[in-house]
């Protein structure tokens, strides 16, 4: 049974940076694409970023493009989401999703974790 674990969330001031981590127990990430979504209160789930199994393909949501970076650490079986220049609009629960491809993640497929809360203060 695979279990996805997100970490790294917390309270951060606007303009600063933070790094979120996604790892899994019971499964090696290397064969799967990994993505991040976020869910803010009263808003629909929003796609944030995704990376292919090889790490060569990345996709970003329009609201984070140029500020967020997703990358893989294969040796540690972890995927990171580096968030820079954060704003209060980035406040949300960030959820990691594992799927067979980036296309699958964009289509809403895959297995997700419980999420990690990010709160950006102004």
């Amino acid at each position: 049974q695979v279990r996805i674990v997100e970490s790294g969330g917390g309270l951060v001031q606007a303009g600063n940076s933070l790094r979120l981590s996604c790892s899994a127990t019971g499964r090696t990430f290397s064969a799967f694409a990994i993505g991040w979504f976020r869910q803010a209160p009263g808003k629909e789930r929003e796609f944030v970023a995704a990376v292919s199994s090889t790490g060569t393909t990345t996709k970003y949501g329009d609201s984070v493009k140029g500020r967020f970076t997703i990358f893989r650490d294969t040796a540690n079986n972890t995927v990171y989401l580096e968030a820079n220049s954060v704003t209060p609009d980035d406040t949300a629960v960030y959820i990691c999703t594992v799927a067979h491809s980036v296309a699958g993640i964009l289509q809403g497929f895959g297995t997700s974790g419980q999420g990690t809360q990010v709160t950006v203060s102004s």
Side-chain angles (χ1 to χ4, degrees):
Q1 182 80 16
V2 63
R3 188 169 74 98
I4 298 168
V5 180
E6 303 98 332
S7 62
L11 178 63
V12 59
Q13 280 194 319
N16 286 350
S17 302
L18 80 163
R19 179 179 291 185
L20 305 182
S21 302
C22 176
S23 60
T25 60
R27 174 169 287 179
T28 301
F29 267 174
S30 60
F32 297 90
I34 309 297
W36 286 92
F37 291 84
R38 65 187 183 186
Q39 180 87 56
K43 295 184 179 180
E44 292 188 357
R45 192 176 77 154
E46 178 187 12
F47 169 72
V48 176
V51 60
S52 63
S53 58
T54 59
T56 56
T57 299
T58 56
K59 297 288 186 183
Y60 295 93
D62 289 340
S63 62
V64 305
K65 204 171 292 184
R67 299 187 299 121
F68 288 21
T69 302
I70 187 170
F71 59 97
R72 312 184 70 112
D73 181 349
T74 303
N76 291 312
N77 201 35
T78 302
V79 171
Y80 298 98
L81 181 68
E82 184 85 18
N84 298 313
S85 303
V86 296
T87 74
D89 287 341
D90 294 318
T91 296
V93 175
Y94 283 71
I95 302 161
C96 180
T97 297
V98 179
H100 288 287
S101 65
V102 171
I105 289 172
L106 294 174
Q107 292 167 17
F109 298 116
T111 302
S112 298
Q114 295 298 308
T116 183
Q117 175 71 47
V118 172
T119 302
V120 182
S121 62
S122 58

